[in-house]
């Protein structure tokens, strides 16, 4: 394992210290906890709190700030934070209008975030939850009942964060959340496994001439291994699967996110985006929102994912384009 | 070679197409050229033009936009664009107030950008140049006489871009450029080589337990290979060398950029930033500007660099913090 770290067991705490050092104008850390909280919270606004295991940077701490998350709870690498941690984040984030928890669909996260919700409600904090399950690769997985939550979560942060910043009530933000999540779908491809620092070797391996479609952001198995292929072949597979799921029509309005998984350079992400462009032009879709880069990574995994969102409502696009002040959007 | 590309010889043109597709609100491509130009040029303002070989994304096209570059010229991977290409970029970028060329110090770039300057001057376009040579690793290198230009170039784009956007004349921007460049210094460390798509294998290799200090962003040799070490050891070496060069005093005002080289995740960059923090606190420096992420990469090289800038003049910090509208700042 070649990594620029110190003791593997300290990687999350040192990472948070580095992040808060670099962006101390935007965020702060609550004591020695794994909680990164915005310095720009506004009384009376709904607060979004997200998080989960670390190793997906810039998610989620990179999306804390005005217009997105109020706080991010950073668990150990690939491991859910505890209910206590999440409860503290809820308490600190709440500005009197309640808290919406954005949860990626992993059993540990769902259990711990739900438990924290119960604890917070006992303290009369209003809490709602939304579970993101955008990964269409497989049904049920190593750590998940149902579909996994992956890069589409970042679009959920953005759309709901804009609504909350515009003064929506908790009930309104929750209603919006329930509408957008079924309209967000993601599929990825991995060229290598990811190495958890405390483990010291990749969670799975692929041969030098092999790739795998549908791998999860913790290295959970995908749906097919195949020989490495050109970018346009990967794009055809991924766009084809998304088309099956969305069942779109010509002229429909969509947004897209090409997301690098950690070790794949922007050069390759842009080449892939160009292949996606050609396919979507053939489909006759109207693509009004686009973003390319590392947003939800899997530590040092090589590969990428494509997220598409059906923009049923123009207001969602407005929310995606609304100004924010975060580290990484 | 495992890469998400199509034909290796098409990688730059497809990358530019993908970039312009994704960010067509900000930038456009001039015909089929390697020139990415801002959609927000303003008559009467000085235009900054930069570029060089591709493979350093988001540099330079990711920094085209209001407040930074007017245009970026993208050569083949790790190969200078031609004087003709650069001339076209100058012609298209010029808004009547002249053009400043920001050149990383590689012999091919220097020669071709200088030649383009001569050609443009024959057409009565005012052109000035600044050569960035921030890499303190070695004197003279595979493609360079003197010191190489690396990640510090991005800070040059930002500070000069802000000045140009504020209405500085070409002479004023050139004067500022001459002042800031000697105050910017960078040193990096590589864990792996970088693979040029058309070559198909890494330009150099390091053993599984080896790293190299001072490697260039095209894989040029550094100044020492050593066993892999903890992040704080790397930080001590790099900060120590920067200290020798700057010869700083307690209380001096500096900015820093931790820059990932392409395959190193943010997790590691933040851990390293935290080690740098501790060393600079001991030195008693005042660090008023900080940034962490992938800004000047070497395709898929694992590793990072630390750039520091001595902020002799408060106006430089103001320029670094001034609002921009680019893909990647």
């Amino acid at each position: 394992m070649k990594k620029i770290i110190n003791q593997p067991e300290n990687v999350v705490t040192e990472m948070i210290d580095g992040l808060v050092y670099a962006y101390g104008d935007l965020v702060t850390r609550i004591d020695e906890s794994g909680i990164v909280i915005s310095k720009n919270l506004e009384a009376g606004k709904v607060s979004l709190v997200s998080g989960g295991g670390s190793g997906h940077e810039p998610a989620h701490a990179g999306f804390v700030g005005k217009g997105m998350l109020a706080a991010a709870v950073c668990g150990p690498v690939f491991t859910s934070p505890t209910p206590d941690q999440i409860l503290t984040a809820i308490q600190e984030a709440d500005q009197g209008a309640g808290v919406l928890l954005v949860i990626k669909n992993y059993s540990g996260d769902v259990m711990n975030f739900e438990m924290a919700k119960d604890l917070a409600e006992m303290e009369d904090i209003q809490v709602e939850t939304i579970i993101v399950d955008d990964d269409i690769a497989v049904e049920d997985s190593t750590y998940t009942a149902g579909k996994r939550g992956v890069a589409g979560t970042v679009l959920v942060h953005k759309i709901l964060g804009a609504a909350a910043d515009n003064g929506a009530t908790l009930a309104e933000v929750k209603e919006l959340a329930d509408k957008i999540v079924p309209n967000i779908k993601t599929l990825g491809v991995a060229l290598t496994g990811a190495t958890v620092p405390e483990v010291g070797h990749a969670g799975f391996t692929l041969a030098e001439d092999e790739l795998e479609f549908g791998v999860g952001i913790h290295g959970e198995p995908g749906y097919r291994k195949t020989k490495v292929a050109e970018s346009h072949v990967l794009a055809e597979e991924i766009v084809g699967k998304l088309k099956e799921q969305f069942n779109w029509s010509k002229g429909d309005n969509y947004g897209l996110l090409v997301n690098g998984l950690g070790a794949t350079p922007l050069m390759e992400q842009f080449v892939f985006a160009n292949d996606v462009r050609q396919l979507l032009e053939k489909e006759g879709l109207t693509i009004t929102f686009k973003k390319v880069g590392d947003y939800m990574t899997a530590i040092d995994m090589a590969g990428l994912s494509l997220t598409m969102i059906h923009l049923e409502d123009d207001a969602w696009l407005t929310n995606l384009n609304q100004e924010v002040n975060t580290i990484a959007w």
Side-chain angles (χ1 to χ4, degrees), chain A:
Chain A
M1 175 182 64
K2 255 183 181 179
K3 281 187 189 291
I4 300 175
I5 58 171
N6 296 301
Q7 291 302 305
E9 61 271 27
N10 296 334
V11 71
V12 172
T13 194
E14 294 181 9
M15 172 183 77
I16 296 172
D17 280 341
L19 181 138
V20 170
Y21 170 63
Y23 298 99
D25 50 333
L26 290 177
V27 296
T28 188
R29 179 182 193 164
I30 295 179
D31 301 329
E32 298 298 297
S33 77
I35 303 163
V36 175
I37 192 160
S38 173
K39 280 192 163 174
N40 300 298
L41 296 176
E42 290 176 61
K45 288 191 177 173
V46 169
S47 295
L48 298 188
V49 172
S50 192
S54 291
H56 306 301
E57 295 69 30
H60 299 266
F63 304 116
V64 172
K66 184 171 167 57
M68 287 185 83
L69 302 180
V73 196
C74 309
V77 177
F78 288 2
T79 302
S80 179
T82 63
D84 270 6
Q85 281 184 290
I86 304 165
L87 174 63
T88 304
I90 294 171
Q91 290 165 333
E92 298 284 337
D94 181 43
Q95 298 299 305
V99 173
L100 187 102
L101 302 176
V102 182
I103 310 166
K104 300 197 299 303
N105 190 31
Y106 300 98
S107 305
D109 283 337
V110 173
M111 190 174 69
N112 292 352
F113 276 81
E114 295 282 5
M115 205 176 294
K117 173 184 192 286
D118 293 343
L119 295 169
E121 284 172 343
M122 285 190 244
E123 300 181 10
D124 289 328
I125 302 174
Q126 297 178 69
V127 181
E128 293 284 358
T129 61
I130 182 70
I131 294 174
V132 185
D133 59 349
D134 57 315
D135 189 345
I136 64 167
V138 295
E139 198 68 32
D140 302 331
S141 193
T142 320
Y143 315 108
T144 304
K147 293 186 165 70
R148 300 176 299 225
V150 289
T153 310
V154 180
L155 302 182
V156 175
H157 294 344
K158 183 65 180 72
I159 294 173
L160 301 186
D165 196 38
N166 291 338
T169 64
L170 183 60
E172 288 164 348
V173 179
K174 166 66 176 163
E175 193 189 341
L176 178 59
D178 287 336
K179 279 187 189 157
I180 60 172
V181 166
N183 283 290
I184 300 176
K185 298 181 194 301
T186 300
L187 186 58
V189 59
L191 305 192
T192 70
T195 297
V196 174
E198 288 200 63
V199 175
H201 58 82
F204 71 101
T205 52
L206 290 166
E208 189 44 45
D209 63 346
E210 201 180 36
L211 56 79
E212 185 169 353
F213 287 107
V215 170
I217 56 172
H218 312 95
E220 303 96 318
Y223 65 86
R224 194 170 87 241
K225 288 184 188 182
T226 176
K227 291 273 172 197
V228 288
E230 292 190 333
S231 170
H232 71 92
V233 177
L234 308 188
E236 279 156 23
E237 169 81 14
I238 291 172
V239 170
K241 292 274 182 194
L242 288 167
K243 180 181 178 176
E244 277 173 28
Q245 293 281 326
F246 278 116
N247 196 19
W248 56 52
S249 304
K250 251 185 198 174
D252 281 356
N253 188 9
Y254 277 78
L256 67 81
L257 169 67
V258 173
N259 172 61
L261 291 174
T264 286
L266 271 178
M267 171 185 274
E268 298 176 36
Q269 298 179 39
F270 282 126
V271 167
F272 177 81
N274 185 49
D275 291 313
V276 168
R277 170 185 68 80
Q278 294 171 65
L279 294 164
L280 298 182
E281 282 174 1
K282 268 189 217 158
E283 295 292 323
L285 298 185
T286 305
I287 309 294
T288 48
F289 177 85
K290 300 160 207 136
K291 216 163 169 69
V292 179
D294 289 5
Y295 292 89
M296 177 72 74
T297 62
I299 313 179
D300 53 0
M301 188 182 283
L304 50 71
S305 64
L306 174 64
T307 299
M308 291 183 68
I309 173 168
H310 183 194
L311 294 166
E312 281 189 345
D313 186 330
D314 287 344
W316 305 355
L317 177 60
T318 307
N319 285 10
L320 284 170
N321 287 325
Q322 187 168 309
E323 211 166 310
V324 287
N325 194 9
T326 65
I327 297 168
W329 172 256

